PDB file of all heavy atoms in Angstrom:
ATOM      1  N   VAL A   1      24.763 -26.249  14.480  1.00 96.00           N
ATOM      2  CA  VAL A   1      25.808 -25.732  15.424  1.00 96.00           C
ATOM      3  C   VAL A   1      26.278 -26.881  16.253  1.00 96.00           C
ATOM      4  O   VAL A   1      27.468 -27.096  16.455  1.00 96.00           O
ATOM      5  CB  VAL A   1      25.232 -24.596  16.284  1.00 96.00           C
ATOM      6  CG1 VAL A   1      26.271 -24.212  17.359  1.00 96.00           C
ATOM      7  CG2 VAL A   1      24.938 -23.358  15.432  1.00 96.00           C
ATOM      8  N   VAL A   2      25.370 -27.721  16.793  1.00 97.00           N
ATOM      9  CA  VAL A   2      25.757 -28.806  17.647  1.00 97.00           C
ATOM     10  C   VAL A   2      26.555 -29.841  16.881  1.00 97.00           C
ATOM     11  O   VAL A   2      27.597 -30.325  17.329  1.00 97.00           O
ATOM     12  CB  VAL A   2      24.523 -29.415  18.330  1.00 97.00           C
ATOM     13  CG1 VAL A   2      24.914 -30.735  19.083  1.00 97.00           C
ATOM     14  CG2 VAL A   2      23.885 -28.424  19.276  1.00 97.00           C
ATOM     15  N   MET A   3      26.116 -30.167  15.701  1.00 97.00           N
ATOM     16  CA  MET A   3      26.799 -31.211  14.889  1.00 97.00           C
ATOM     17  C   MET A   3      28.228 -30.630  14.537  1.00 97.00           C
ATOM     18  O   MET A   3      29.170 -31.518  14.516  1.00 97.00           O
ATOM     19  CB  MET A   3      26.049 -31.460  13.604  1.00 97.00           C
ATOM     20  CG  MET A   3      24.701 -32.287  13.841  1.00 97.00           C
ATOM     21  SD  MET A   3      23.546 -32.172  12.454  1.00 97.00           S
ATOM     22  CE  MET A   3      24.550 -32.938  11.132  1.00 97.00           C
ATOM     23  N   GLY A   4      28.355 -29.397  14.284  1.00 95.00           N
ATOM     24  CA  GLY A   4      29.701 -28.835  13.908  1.00 95.00           C
ATOM     25  C   GLY A   4      30.574 -28.658  15.060  1.00 95.00           C
ATOM     26  O   GLY A   4      31.714 -29.106  15.042  1.00 95.00           O
ATOM     27  N   ALA A   5      30.046 -28.004  16.112  1.00 94.00           N
ATOM     28  CA  ALA A   5      30.946 -27.708  17.217  1.00 94.00           C
ATOM     29  C   ALA A   5      31.188 -28.906  18.158  1.00 94.00           C
ATOM     30  O   ALA A   5      32.331 -29.068  18.686  1.00 94.00           O
ATOM     31  CB  ALA A   5      30.293 -26.568  18.062  1.00 94.00           C
ATOM     32  N   ALA A   6      30.230 -29.727  18.383  1.00 94.00           N
ATOM     33  CA  ALA A   6      30.375 -30.876  19.330  1.00 94.00           C
ATOM     34  C   ALA A   6      30.876 -32.094  18.613  1.00 94.00           C
ATOM     35  O   ALA A   6      31.600 -32.896  19.285  1.00 94.00           O
ATOM     36  CB  ALA A   6      29.011 -31.133  19.996  1.00 94.00           C
ATOM     37  N   PHE A   7      30.532 -32.294  17.363  1.00 96.00           N
ATOM     38  CA  PHE A   7      30.971 -33.559  16.740  1.00 96.00           C
ATOM     39  C   PHE A   7      31.769 -33.427  15.448  1.00 96.00           C
ATOM     40  O   PHE A   7      32.081 -34.363  14.849  1.00 96.00           O
ATOM     41  CB  PHE A   7      29.623 -34.310  16.312  1.00 96.00           C
ATOM     42  CG  PHE A   7      28.733 -34.581  17.586  1.00 96.00           C
ATOM     43  CD1 PHE A   7      27.562 -33.931  17.768  1.00 96.00           C
ATOM     44  CD2 PHE A   7      29.156 -35.466  18.531  1.00 96.00           C
ATOM     45  CE1 PHE A   7      26.725 -34.158  18.831  1.00 96.00           C
ATOM     46  CE2 PHE A   7      28.400 -35.808  19.597  1.00 96.00           C
ATOM     47  CZ  PHE A   7      27.169 -35.168  19.811  1.00 96.00           C
ATOM     48  N   GLY A   8      32.286 -32.226  15.190  1.00 94.00           N
ATOM     49  CA  GLY A   8      33.185 -31.960  14.093  1.00 94.00           C
ATOM     50  C   GLY A   8      32.654 -32.232  12.720  1.00 94.00           C
ATOM     51  O   GLY A   8      33.468 -32.543  11.787  1.00 94.00           O
ATOM     52  N   GLN A   9      31.410 -32.110  12.543  1.00 96.00           N
ATOM     53  CA  GLN A   9      30.803 -32.365  11.208  1.00 96.00           C
ATOM     54  C   GLN A   9      30.855 -31.044  10.331  1.00 96.00           C
ATOM     55  O   GLN A   9      30.762 -29.985  10.886  1.00 96.00           O
ATOM     56  CB  GLN A   9      29.376 -32.919  11.321  1.00 96.00           C
ATOM     57  CG  GLN A   9      29.339 -34.257  12.106  1.00 96.00           C
ATOM     58  CD  GLN A   9      27.979 -34.765  12.182  1.00 96.00           C
ATOM     59  OE1 GLN A   9      27.172 -34.572  11.274  1.00 96.00           O
ATOM     60  NE2 GLN A   9      27.585 -35.584  13.213  1.00 96.00           N
ATOM     61  N   PRO A  10      30.996 -31.239   8.995  1.00 96.00           N
ATOM     62  CA  PRO A  10      31.114 -30.068   8.122  1.00 96.00           C
ATOM     63  C   PRO A  10      29.820 -29.389   7.826  1.00 96.00           C
ATOM     64  O   PRO A  10      29.302 -29.361   6.724  1.00 96.00           O
ATOM     65  CB  PRO A  10      31.692 -30.665   6.879  1.00 96.00           C
ATOM     66  CG  PRO A  10      31.112 -32.073   6.854  1.00 96.00           C
ATOM     67  CD  PRO A  10      31.036 -32.482   8.307  1.00 96.00           C
ATOM     68  N   THR A  11      29.288 -28.756   8.845  1.00 97.00           N
ATOM     69  CA  THR A  11      27.914 -28.102   8.648  1.00 97.00           C
ATOM     70  C   THR A  11      28.194 -26.560   8.557  1.00 97.00           C
ATOM     71  O   THR A  11      29.166 -26.028   8.983  1.00 97.00           O
ATOM     72  CB  THR A  11      27.069 -28.280   9.939  1.00 97.00           C
ATOM     73  OG1 THR A  11      27.735 -27.812  11.102  1.00 97.00           O
ATOM     74  CG2 THR A  11      26.757 -29.783  10.114  1.00 97.00           C
ATOM     75  N   ILE A  12      27.132 -25.911   7.994  1.00 96.00           N
ATOM     76  CA  ILE A  12      27.166 -24.450   7.945  1.00 96.00           C
ATOM     77  C   ILE A  12      25.816 -23.889   8.440  1.00 96.00           C
ATOM     78  O   ILE A  12      24.814 -23.729   7.779  1.00 96.00           O
ATOM     79  CB  ILE A  12      27.345 -23.953   6.476  1.00 96.00           C
ATOM     80  CG1 ILE A  12      28.677 -24.509   5.843  1.00 96.00           C
ATOM     81  CG2 ILE A  12      27.353 -22.442   6.391  1.00 96.00           C
ATOM     82  CD1 ILE A  12      29.009 -24.040   4.488  1.00 96.00           C
ATOM     83  N   PRO A  13      25.784 -23.644   9.746  1.00 96.00           N
ATOM     84  CA  PRO A  13      24.586 -23.073  10.309  1.00 96.00           C
ATOM     85  C   PRO A  13      24.358 -21.637   9.778  1.00 96.00           C
ATOM     86  O   PRO A  13      25.311 -20.847   9.713  1.00 96.00           O
ATOM     87  CB  PRO A  13      24.889 -23.028  11.841  1.00 96.00           C
ATOM     88  CG  PRO A  13      26.043 -23.958  12.095  1.00 96.00           C
ATOM     89  CD  PRO A  13      26.804 -23.941  10.773  1.00 96.00           C
ATOM     90  N   VAL A  14      23.119 -21.397   9.424  1.00 95.00           N
ATOM     91  CA  VAL A  14      22.797 -20.024   8.837  1.00 95.00           C
ATOM     92  C   VAL A  14      21.942 -19.321   9.799  1.00 95.00           C
ATOM     93  O   VAL A  14      20.699 -19.656   9.943  1.00 95.00           O
ATOM     94  CB  VAL A  14      22.151 -20.188   7.440  1.00 95.00           C
ATOM     95  CG1 VAL A  14      21.786 -18.821   6.945  1.00 95.00           C
ATOM     96  CG2 VAL A  14      23.084 -20.841   6.451  1.00 95.00           C
ATOM     97  N   ASP A  15      22.466 -18.306  10.515  1.00 92.00           N
ATOM     98  CA  ASP A  15      21.695 -17.455  11.368  1.00 92.00           C
ATOM     99  C   ASP A  15      21.465 -16.144  10.630  1.00 92.00           C
ATOM    100  O   ASP A  15      21.794 -15.982   9.430  1.00 92.00           O
ATOM    101  CB  ASP A  15      22.349 -17.254  12.730  1.00 92.00           C
ATOM    102  CG  ASP A  15      23.658 -16.462  12.609  1.00 92.00           C
ATOM    103  OD1 ASP A  15      24.100 -16.206  11.476  1.00 92.00           O
ATOM    104  OD2 ASP A  15      24.228 -16.121  13.684  1.00 92.00           O
ATOM    105  N   THR A  16      20.991 -15.122  11.326  1.00 92.00           N
ATOM    106  CA  THR A  16      20.699 -13.809  10.665  1.00 92.00           C
ATOM    107  C   THR A  16      22.044 -13.149  10.161  1.00 92.00           C
ATOM    108  O   THR A  16      21.982 -12.570   9.080  1.00 92.00           O
ATOM    109  CB  THR A  16      19.986 -12.905  11.568  1.00 92.00           C
ATOM    110  OG1 THR A  16      20.734 -12.725  12.869  1.00 92.00           O
ATOM    111  CG2 THR A  16      18.548 -13.404  11.999  1.00 92.00           C
ATOM    112  N   HIS A  17      23.108 -13.311  10.913  1.00 94.00           N
ATOM    113  CA  HIS A  17      24.373 -12.736  10.458  1.00 94.00           C
ATOM    114  C   HIS A  17      24.825 -13.412   9.174  1.00 94.00           C
ATOM    115  O   HIS A  17      25.235 -12.776   8.207  1.00 94.00           O
ATOM    116  CB  HIS A  17      25.436 -12.825  11.545  1.00 94.00           C
ATOM    117  CG  HIS A  17      25.142 -12.050  12.808  1.00 94.00           C
ATOM    118  ND1 HIS A  17      24.936 -10.694  12.774  1.00 94.00           N
ATOM    119  CD2 HIS A  17      24.986 -12.433  14.035  1.00 94.00           C
ATOM    120  CE1 HIS A  17      24.718 -10.281  14.010  1.00 94.00           C
ATOM    121  NE2 HIS A  17      24.667 -11.333  14.836  1.00 94.00           N
ATOM    122  N   VAL A  18      24.882 -14.724   9.176  1.00 96.00           N
ATOM    123  CA  VAL A  18      25.365 -15.425   8.033  1.00 96.00           C
ATOM    124  C   VAL A  18      24.496 -15.199   6.827  1.00 96.00           C
ATOM    125  O   VAL A  18      24.953 -15.002   5.670  1.00 96.00           O
ATOM    126  CB  VAL A  18      25.447 -17.007   8.330  1.00 96.00           C
ATOM    127  CG1 VAL A  18      25.819 -17.720   7.121  1.00 96.00           C
ATOM    128  CG2 VAL A  18      26.454 -17.256   9.497  1.00 96.00           C
ATOM    129  N   TYR A  19      23.175 -15.154   7.028  1.00 96.00           N
ATOM    130  CA  TYR A  19      22.199 -14.861   5.930  1.00 96.00           C
ATOM    131  C   TYR A  19      22.457 -13.502   5.368  1.00 96.00           C
ATOM    132  O   TYR A  19      22.611 -13.352   4.148  1.00 96.00           O
ATOM    133  CB  TYR A  19      20.851 -14.977   6.454  1.00 96.00           C
ATOM    134  CG  TYR A  19      19.764 -14.768   5.421  1.00 96.00           C
ATOM    135  CD1 TYR A  19      19.305 -15.878   4.702  1.00 96.00           C
ATOM    136  CD2 TYR A  19      19.175 -13.546   5.114  1.00 96.00           C
ATOM    137  CE1 TYR A  19      18.316 -15.791   3.705  1.00 96.00           C
ATOM    138  CE2 TYR A  19      18.214 -13.383   4.144  1.00 96.00           C
ATOM    139  CZ  TYR A  19      17.802 -14.476   3.449  1.00 96.00           C
ATOM    140  OH  TYR A  19      16.777 -14.358   2.541  1.00 96.00           O
ATOM    141  N   ARG A  20      22.614 -12.473   6.232  1.00 96.00           N
ATOM    142  CA  ARG A  20      22.791 -11.079   5.735  1.00 96.00           C
ATOM    143  C   ARG A  20      24.155 -10.942   4.986  1.00 96.00           C
ATOM    144  O   ARG A  20      24.166 -10.336   3.922  1.00 96.00           O
ATOM    145  CB  ARG A  20      22.721 -10.146   6.962  1.00 96.00           C
ATOM    146  CG  ARG A  20      22.945  -8.658   6.578  1.00 96.00           C
ATOM    147  CD  ARG A  20      22.921  -7.776   7.804  1.00 96.00           C
ATOM    148  NE  ARG A  20      24.124  -7.954   8.650  1.00 96.00           N
ATOM    149  CZ  ARG A  20      24.084  -8.517   9.809  1.00 96.00           C
ATOM    150  NH1 ARG A  20      22.983  -9.101  10.285  1.00 96.00           N
ATOM    151  NH2 ARG A  20      25.244  -8.666  10.536  1.00 96.00           N
ATOM    152  N   VAL A  21      25.229 -11.374   5.640  1.00 97.00           N
ATOM    153  CA  VAL A  21      26.534 -11.154   5.158  1.00 97.00           C
ATOM    154  C   VAL A  21      26.783 -11.945   3.811  1.00 97.00           C
ATOM    155  O   VAL A  21      27.363 -11.439   2.883  1.00 97.00           O
ATOM    156  CB  VAL A  21      27.635 -11.549   6.094  1.00 97.00           C
ATOM    157  CG1 VAL A  21      29.009 -11.400   5.501  1.00 97.00           C
ATOM    158  CG2 VAL A  21      27.532 -10.619   7.351  1.00 97.00           C
ATOM    159  N   SER A  22      26.225 -13.121   3.698  1.00 97.00           N
ATOM    160  CA  SER A  22      26.340 -13.930   2.496  1.00 97.00           C
ATOM    161  C   SER A  22      25.665 -13.184   1.344  1.00 97.00           C
ATOM    162  O   SER A  22      26.185 -13.219   0.201  1.00 97.00           O
ATOM    163  CB  SER A  22      25.620 -15.307   2.632  1.00 97.00           C
ATOM    164  OG  SER A  22      26.345 -16.073   3.614  1.00 97.00           O
ATOM    165  N   HIS A  23      24.502 -12.556   1.571  1.00 96.00           N
ATOM    166  CA  HIS A  23      23.899 -11.769   0.496  1.00 96.00           C
ATOM    167  C   HIS A  23      24.717 -10.553   0.109  1.00 96.00           C
ATOM    168  O   HIS A  23      24.880 -10.212  -1.106  1.00 96.00           O
ATOM    169  CB  HIS A  23      22.481 -11.339   0.940  1.00 96.00           C
ATOM    170  CG  HIS A  23      21.451 -12.470   0.747  1.00 96.00           C
ATOM    171  ND1 HIS A  23      21.323 -13.493   1.648  1.00 96.00           N
ATOM    172  CD2 HIS A  23      20.550 -12.651  -0.204  1.00 96.00           C
ATOM    173  CE1 HIS A  23      20.349 -14.327   1.219  1.00 96.00           C
ATOM    174  NE2 HIS A  23      19.862 -13.850   0.077  1.00 96.00           N
ATOM    175  N   ARG A  24      25.182  -9.830   1.096  1.00 96.00           N
ATOM    176  CA  ARG A  24      25.945  -8.611   0.842  1.00 96.00           C
ATOM    177  C   ARG A  24      27.248  -8.913   0.053  1.00 96.00           C
ATOM    178  O   ARG A  24      27.575  -8.173  -0.889  1.00 96.00           O
ATOM    179  CB  ARG A  24      26.290  -7.866   2.162  1.00 96.00           C
ATOM    180  CG  ARG A  24      25.149  -7.172   2.797  1.00 96.00           C
ATOM    181  CD  ARG A  24      25.600  -6.471   4.031  1.00 96.00           C
ATOM    182  NE  ARG A  24      24.559  -5.696   4.660  1.00 96.00           N
ATOM    183  CZ  ARG A  24      24.557  -5.128   5.866  1.00 96.00           C
ATOM    184  NH1 ARG A  24      25.710  -5.327   6.643  1.00 96.00           N
ATOM    185  NH2 ARG A  24      23.574  -4.388   6.362  1.00 96.00           N
ATOM    186  N   LEU A  25      27.894  -9.980   0.483  1.00 96.00           N
ATOM    187  CA  LEU A  25      29.126 -10.309  -0.195  1.00 96.00           C
ATOM    188  C   LEU A  25      28.916 -10.886  -1.625  1.00 96.00           C
ATOM    189  O   LEU A  25      29.811 -10.746  -2.457  1.00 96.00           O
ATOM    190  CB  LEU A  25      29.875 -11.338   0.625  1.00 96.00           C
ATOM    191  CG  LEU A  25      30.483 -10.919   1.970  1.00 96.00           C
ATOM    192  CD1 LEU A  25      31.107 -12.130   2.611  1.00 96.00           C
ATOM    193  CD2 LEU A  25      31.499  -9.819   1.791  1.00 96.00           C
ATOM    194  N   GLY A  26      27.716 -11.400  -1.849  1.00 96.00           N
ATOM    195  CA  GLY A  26      27.498 -12.009  -3.142  1.00 96.00           C
ATOM    196  C   GLY A  26      27.733 -13.452  -3.124  1.00 96.00           C
ATOM    197  O   GLY A  26      27.957 -14.112  -4.219  1.00 96.00           O
ATOM    198  N   LEU A  27      27.768 -14.090  -1.986  1.00 97.00           N
ATOM    199  CA  LEU A  27      28.029 -15.521  -1.873  1.00 97.00           C
ATOM    200  C   LEU A  27      26.804 -16.339  -2.145  1.00 97.00           C
ATOM    201  O   LEU A  27      26.841 -17.513  -2.498  1.00 97.00           O
ATOM    202  CB  LEU A  27      28.587 -15.831  -0.431  1.00 97.00           C
ATOM    203  CG  LEU A  27      29.939 -15.225  -0.123  1.00 97.00           C
ATOM    204  CD1 LEU A  27      30.343 -15.568   1.336  1.00 97.00           C
ATOM    205  CD2 LEU A  27      31.020 -15.630  -1.032  1.00 97.00           C
ATOM    206  N   SER A  28      25.650 -15.757  -1.899  1.00 96.00           N
ATOM    207  CA  SER A  28      24.356 -16.390  -2.106  1.00 96.00           C
ATOM    208  C   SER A  28      23.291 -15.327  -2.385  1.00 96.00           C
ATOM    209  O   SER A  28      23.316 -14.284  -1.777  1.00 96.00           O
ATOM    210  CB  SER A  28      24.018 -17.270  -0.924  1.00 96.00           C
ATOM    211  OG  SER A  28      22.766 -17.764  -1.048  1.00 96.00           O
ATOM    212  N   GLN A  29      22.329 -15.743  -3.166  1.00 93.00           N
ATOM    213  CA  GLN A  29      21.092 -14.974  -3.355  1.00 93.00           C
ATOM    214  C   GLN A  29      19.930 -15.712  -2.882  1.00 93.00           C
ATOM    215  O   GLN A  29      18.788 -15.453  -3.264  1.00 93.00           O
ATOM    216  CB  GLN A  29      20.957 -14.531  -4.816  1.00 93.00           C
ATOM    217  CG  GLN A  29      22.066 -13.612  -5.244  1.00 93.00           C
ATOM    218  CD  GLN A  29      22.233 -12.321  -4.462  1.00 93.00           C
ATOM    219  OE1 GLN A  29      21.204 -11.678  -4.148  1.00 93.00           O
ATOM    220  NE2 GLN A  29      23.390 -12.003  -4.040  1.00 93.00           N
ATOM    221  N   GLY A  30      20.128 -16.783  -2.128  1.00 94.00           N
ATOM    222  CA  GLY A  30      19.077 -17.676  -1.608  1.00 94.00           C
ATOM    223  C   GLY A  30      18.031 -16.908  -0.828  1.00 94.00           C
ATOM    224  O   GLY A  30      18.318 -15.981  -0.080  1.00 94.00           O
ATOM    225  N   LYS A  31      16.786 -17.221  -1.033  1.00 95.00           N
ATOM    226  CA  LYS A  31      15.675 -16.592  -0.364  1.00 95.00           C
ATOM    227  C   LYS A  31      15.410 -17.124   1.014  1.00 95.00           C
ATOM    228  O   LYS A  31      14.726 -16.397   1.739  1.00 95.00           O
ATOM    229  CB  LYS A  31      14.419 -16.679  -1.318  1.00 95.00           C
ATOM    230  CG  LYS A  31      14.567 -16.027  -2.613  1.00 95.00           C
ATOM    231  CD  LYS A  31      13.236 -16.110  -3.431  1.00 95.00           C
ATOM    232  CE  LYS A  31      13.336 -15.381  -4.728  1.00 95.00           C
ATOM    233  NZ  LYS A  31      12.107 -15.474  -5.520  1.00 95.00           N
ATOM    234  N   THR A  32      15.890 -18.171   1.391  1.00 96.00           N
ATOM    235  CA  THR A  32      15.703 -18.769   2.733  1.00 96.00           C
ATOM    236  C   THR A  32      17.074 -19.153   3.298  1.00 96.00           C
ATOM    237  O   THR A  32      18.048 -19.371   2.529  1.00 96.00           O
ATOM    238  CB  THR A  32      14.785 -20.027   2.654  1.00 96.00           C
ATOM    239  OG1 THR A  32      15.501 -21.117   2.008  1.00 96.00           O
ATOM    240  CG2 THR A  32      13.533 -19.677   1.880  1.00 96.00           C
ATOM    241  N   PRO A  33      17.161 -19.350   4.641  1.00 94.00           N
ATOM    242  CA  PRO A  33      18.313 -19.845   5.285  1.00 94.00           C
ATOM    243  C   PRO A  33      18.809 -21.229   4.663  1.00 94.00           C
ATOM    244  O   PRO A  33      19.971 -21.410   4.486  1.00 94.00           O
ATOM    245  CB  PRO A  33      17.985 -19.958   6.725  1.00 94.00           C
ATOM    246  CG  PRO A  33      16.918 -18.954   6.921  1.00 94.00           C
ATOM    247  CD  PRO A  33      16.122 -18.951   5.668  1.00 94.00           C
ATOM    248  N   ASP A  34      17.857 -22.055   4.384  1.00 95.00           N
ATOM    249  CA  ASP A  34      18.233 -23.327   3.742  1.00 95.00           C
ATOM    250  C   ASP A  34      18.850 -23.198   2.338  1.00 95.00           C
ATOM    251  O   ASP A  34      19.842 -23.876   2.000  1.00 95.00           O
ATOM    252  CB  ASP A  34      16.957 -24.193   3.551  1.00 95.00           C
ATOM    253  CG  ASP A  34      16.453 -24.790   4.921  1.00 95.00           C
ATOM    254  OD1 ASP A  34      17.149 -24.523   5.931  1.00 95.00           O
ATOM    255  OD2 ASP A  34      15.423 -25.493   4.932  1.00 95.00           O
ATOM    256  N   ASP A  35      18.318 -22.178   1.575  1.00 96.00           N
ATOM    257  CA  ASP A  35      18.948 -21.880   0.326  1.00 96.00           C
ATOM    258  C   ASP A  35      20.369 -21.398   0.470  1.00 96.00           C
ATOM    259  O   ASP A  35      21.270 -21.822  -0.316  1.00 96.00           O
ATOM    260  CB  ASP A  35      18.143 -20.822  -0.430  1.00 96.00           C
ATOM    261  CG  ASP A  35      16.759 -21.301  -0.897  1.00 96.00           C
ATOM    262  OD1 ASP A  35      16.541 -22.489  -1.010  1.00 96.00           O
ATOM    263  OD2 ASP A  35      15.883 -20.423  -1.066  1.00 96.00           O
ATOM    264  N   VAL A  36      20.601 -20.531   1.421  1.00 97.00           N
ATOM    265  CA  VAL A  36      21.975 -19.950   1.648  1.00 97.00           C
ATOM    266  C   VAL A  36      22.922 -21.111   2.108  1.00 97.00           C
ATOM    267  O   VAL A  36      24.026 -21.178   1.640  1.00 97.00           O
ATOM    268  CB  VAL A  36      21.854 -18.851   2.678  1.00 97.00           C
ATOM    269  CG1 VAL A  36      23.323 -18.416   3.071  1.00 97.00           C
ATOM    270  CG2 VAL A  36      21.095 -17.654   2.159  1.00 97.00           C
ATOM    271  N   GLU A  37      22.357 -21.986   2.963  1.00 97.00           N
ATOM    272  CA  GLU A  37      23.182 -23.114   3.402  1.00 97.00           C
ATOM    273  C   GLU A  37      23.622 -24.029   2.199  1.00 97.00           C
ATOM    274  O   GLU A  37      24.795 -24.388   2.154  1.00 97.00           O
ATOM    275  CB  GLU A  37      22.406 -23.954   4.437  1.00 97.00           C
ATOM    276  CG  GLU A  37      23.145 -25.146   4.974  1.00 97.00           C
ATOM    277  CD  GLU A  37      22.344 -26.002   5.848  1.00 97.00           C
ATOM    278  OE1 GLU A  37      21.361 -25.527   6.425  1.00 97.00           O
ATOM    279  OE2 GLU A  37      22.694 -27.232   5.974  1.00 97.00           O
ATOM    280  N   ARG A  38      22.704 -24.226   1.335  1.00 96.00           N
ATOM    281  CA  ARG A  38      23.051 -25.028   0.212  1.00 96.00           C
ATOM    282  C   ARG A  38      24.115 -24.356  -0.731  1.00 96.00           C
ATOM    283  O   ARG A  38      25.010 -24.969  -1.186  1.00 96.00           O
ATOM    284  CB  ARG A  38      21.815 -25.361  -0.667  1.00 96.00           C
ATOM    285  CG  ARG A  38      20.968 -26.524  -0.111  1.00 96.00           C
ATOM    286  CD  ARG A  38      19.865 -26.950  -0.980  1.00 96.00           C
ATOM    287  NE  ARG A  38      18.819 -25.951  -1.160  1.00 96.00           N
ATOM    288  CZ  ARG A  38      17.797 -25.868  -0.392  1.00 96.00           C
ATOM    289  NH1 ARG A  38      17.527 -26.765   0.524  1.00 96.00           N
ATOM    290  NH2 ARG A  38      16.818 -24.950  -0.604  1.00 96.00           N
ATOM    291  N   ASP A  39      23.981 -23.042  -0.926  1.00 97.00           N
ATOM    292  CA  ASP A  39      24.905 -22.317  -1.753  1.00 97.00           C
ATOM    293  C   ASP A  39      26.261 -22.289  -1.142  1.00 97.00           C
ATOM    294  O   ASP A  39      27.261 -22.579  -1.813  1.00 97.00           O
ATOM    295  CB  ASP A  39      24.436 -20.865  -1.953  1.00 97.00           C
ATOM    296  CG  ASP A  39      23.255 -20.752  -2.910  1.00 97.00           C
ATOM    297  OD1 ASP A  39      22.961 -21.716  -3.655  1.00 97.00           O
ATOM    298  OD2 ASP A  39      22.586 -19.683  -2.809  1.00 97.00           O
TER     299      ASP A  39
END
């Protein structure tokens, strides 16, 4: 979050919302937040 919001870096922070919605939409089936971030 800090790298993206403060320094404009292309990061994808994965919190509980991002993890849940990514699975529901079918954007990722990753088992961990790191897996979802990579997908």
Side-chain angles (χ1 to χ4, degrees):
V1 173
V2 172
M3 289 163 62
F7 301 110
Q9 298 184 29
T11 60
I12 302 184
V14 177
D15 66 355
T16 55
H17 294 300
V18 175
Y19 185 88
R20 179 182 71 254
V21 175
S22 295
H23 279 80
R24 285 179 175 173
L25 291 174
L27 299 178
S28 173
Q29 297 302 313
K31 294 182 179 181
T32 69
D34 287 357
D35 292 337
V36 173
E37 181 185 339
R38 281 190 290 269
D39 287 341

